[in-house]
Amino acid sequence: MQINENFKDLGENYLFTAVAKKVAAFQQERPEVKIIKLGIGDVTQPLCPAVVSAMEGAVREMGEAATFHGYGPEQGYPFLRAAIARYYASHGVEIDPDEVYVGDGAKSDIGNILDLFGPDNAVLMPDPVYPVYADTNVMAGRRVIYANACEENGFLPLPEKDEQADIIYICSPNNPTGAAYDAGGLKLWVDYALERDAVIIYDAAYESFIRSGGLPRSIFEIPGARSCALEFCSLSKKAGFTGTRCGYTVIPKELSRGGMSLGKMWVRRQTTKFNGVAYVVQRGAEAVFTPEGERQTAAAIDVYRGNAKVITDALTELGVWYTGGENSPYVWLKCPDGLDSWGFFDRLLREAGVVGTPGVGFGRNGEGFFRLTAFGSPAATAEAVERLKKLLGK
Ligand code: MLT
């Protein structure tokens, strides 16, 4: 019997588990502290009325023999795939509903997609990076190369000519830094992937936070991307589905490698290992893409954008360097007073009762940086900012 020894190369805990454990230990030590959590990017605004009513209707259907649903279609219900394709069309991207694969969230699909790739591919991702990209590849024993994301390049690295990568991860707007590529930057990555026959794994989980004109919401806005990219998206942050679970993956029909269609391989993989997203949830997801659902979810996103503004205004006032927060729910700041990431985490927790995420948890380049999320309630965010100002002497 052989164990997967690659697990030895992982940190003991997933980043957000490590943070949660530290917070729980502190709360036990100091039960009187009212902790405010701006760490993991979990939403606080409830599901919008359009989603709730669609799900209520679907539950009633499930309670009647005539309208009951068992196992659903393997790629997701046609009504939801068509709604997603219409959403893409609304920002100028033509995709066929047959290229949409409904899943239970971007995190699982991004991890599971690796079943399609051989073990010896070189994998390129930015540092700092969403830990799922790195950890899932380490589990599979793949070699990971890091692209240097730093203050100098605005945390948006571009391809380097001599880098030999087969799989490339891009997340824009980025988790953790909140930085977003423009079309020119993404075009360089698409050209680089096409030149090398590489595949781009594009994470668009935060696309609904884009407000600045000219920033692409999808890699498929870039010419050539259909032959080299697949895209993952999620309703978690767009529509408050972190606890409801629904996302989707788009795999263009022309995307193939080694004579094999990636879309067909994904169907084969999903039908073997996954039985689909609940009918009730897919009906709720469909409602997100109705005009009413779009309006209501945009209102919730505006609440988070307001929070991000409260955080970034305070950082400006305090003279703390930051990026993000504009087209993203994440604010990425430089730790004050020369502290390292965990040093600032401890100080903020112990002296202000506020939880954030240490930048170094996202990679070596994150050392000395810190991430705050705008997904808290407005009241909690305002209170956290007041405590931060007090802590930093204003
Ligand atoms: C985060 O805090 O980075 C997110 O919650 C991660 C995720 O969406 O899984």
Side-chain angles (χ1 to χ4, degrees):
M1 202 291 287
Q2 284 185 341
I3 208 77
N4 182 351
E5 302 259 348
N6 297 320
F7 274 66
K8 289 184 181 162
D9 298 329
L10 292 169
E12 188 185 338
N13 288 304
Y14 181 57
L15 172 61
F16 296 105
T17 311
V19 168
K21 282 187 175 171
K22 269 200 167 237
V23 174
F26 173 71
Q27 188 74 90
Q28 200 165 19
E29 179 195 325
R30 301 268 308 279
E32 76 285 2
V33 178
K34 200 168 169 300
I35 293 174
I36 300 175
K37 294 182 182 169
L38 303 182
I40 191 164
D42 197 3
V43 292
T44 50
Q45 294 289 303
L47 295 175
C48 69
V51 168
V52 172
S53 125
M55 289 174 81
E56 281 171 349
V59 167
R60 275 191 293 275
E61 282 184 67
M62 292 297 280
E64 301 286 339
T67 49
F68 171 78
H69 289 79
Y71 291 127
E74 50 195 31
Q75 273 183 237
Y77 282 95
F79 60 75
L80 178 55
R81 288 190 281 121
I84 292 167
R86 281 196 302 274
Y87 176 63
Y88 271 82
S90 74
H91 46 264
V93 175
E94 289 306 319
I95 57 165
D96 192 301
D98 286 348
E99 297 173 321
V100 177
Y101 302 80
V102 175
D104 66 356
K107 183 186 193 173
S108 11
D109 279 7
I110 286 172
N112 293 333
I113 199 78
L114 292 178
D115 279 0
L116 274 52
F117 303 110
D120 295 328
N121 287 303
V123 182
L124 178 68
M125 60 188 71
D127 173 359
V129 73
Y130 178 37
V132 170
Y133 312 158
D135 287 0
T136 51
N137 277 288
V138 170
M139 283 177 194
R142 272 193 206 90
R143 189 162 61 88
V144 177
I145 317 163
Y146 290 99
N148 194 24
C150 55
E151 229 178 306
E152 290 66 41
N153 59 24
F155 288 95
L156 294 169
L158 294 173
E160 308 240 338
K161 274 223 161 322
D162 316 325
E163 210 114 62
Q164 296 297 331
D166 305 304
I167 299 173
I168 300 156
Y169 285 82
I170 301 175
C171 175
S172 182
N174 185 265
N175 179 14
T177 68
Y181 281 103
D182 60 16
L186 288 183
K187 172 89 170 66
L188 291 173
W189 280 113
V190 166
D191 290 347
Y192 169 90
L194 288 171
E195 232 168 74
R196 281 172 174 69
D197 237 9
V199 170
I200 294 176
I201 293 190
Y202 191 80
D203 184 350
Y206 301 94
E207 57 81 27
S208 54
F209 283 81
I210 291 178
R211 292 290 189 279
S212 305
L215 293 183
R217 284 168 170 256
S218 162
I219 189 75
F220 301 122
E221 291 179 37
I222 310 301
R226 288 183 57 89
S227 310
C228 68
L230 20 80
E231 177 161 300
F232 299 85
C233 203
S234 160
L235 297 187
S236 286
K237 316 295 158 93
K238 177 180 169 66
F241 272 52
T242 51
T244 306
R245 308 307 312 151
C246 193
Y248 50 91
T249 292
V250 177
I251 310 183
K253 283 178 186 152
E254 50 267 65
L255 185 62
S256 60
R257 290 292 181 273
M260 292 175 81
S261 148
L262 268 65
K264 284 188 181 154
M265 289 173 76
W266 183 238
V267 168
R268 186 67 180 85
R269 189 265 169 220
Q270 292 293 79
T271 46
T272 307
K273 297 192 184 181
F274 180 58
N275 264 335
V277 175
Y279 173 73
V280 174
V281 172
Q282 293 196 50
R283 278 292 183 200
E286 179 193 23
V288 170
F289 298 103
T290 59
E292 198 189 8
E294 282 286 0
R295 247 191 333 272
Q296 293 169 354
T297 52
I301 288 173
D302 283 345
V303 169
Y304 300 135
R305 287 174 50 81
N307 289 343
K309 175 102 173 60
V310 167
I311 296 171
T312 53
D313 282 352
L315 294 175
T316 304
E317 193 183 323
L318 292 165
V320 174
W321 184 94
Y322 70 89
T323 183
E326 199 183 339
N327 294 293
S328 157
Y330 297 125
V331 180
W332 179 253
L333 58 114
K334 199 178 247 183
C335 298
D337 305 327
L339 286 172
D340 65 17
S341 298
W342 281 108
F344 185 58
F345 173 90
D346 285 334
R347 182 161 177 226
L348 194 60
L349 177 60
R350 299 199 148 265
E351 296 176 31
V354 174
V355 179
T357 311
V360 72
F362 299 98
R364 230 185 299 172
N365 275 10
E367 183 57 285
F369 290 89
F370 200 75
R371 194 193 77 175
L372 291 174
T373 157
F375 283 123
S377 70
T381 307
E383 168 70 20
V385 159
E386 282 316 307
R387 293 188 196 176
L388 182 71
K389 284 186 185 169
K390 205 162 149 211
L391 178 76
L392 298 180
K394 294 243 174 174

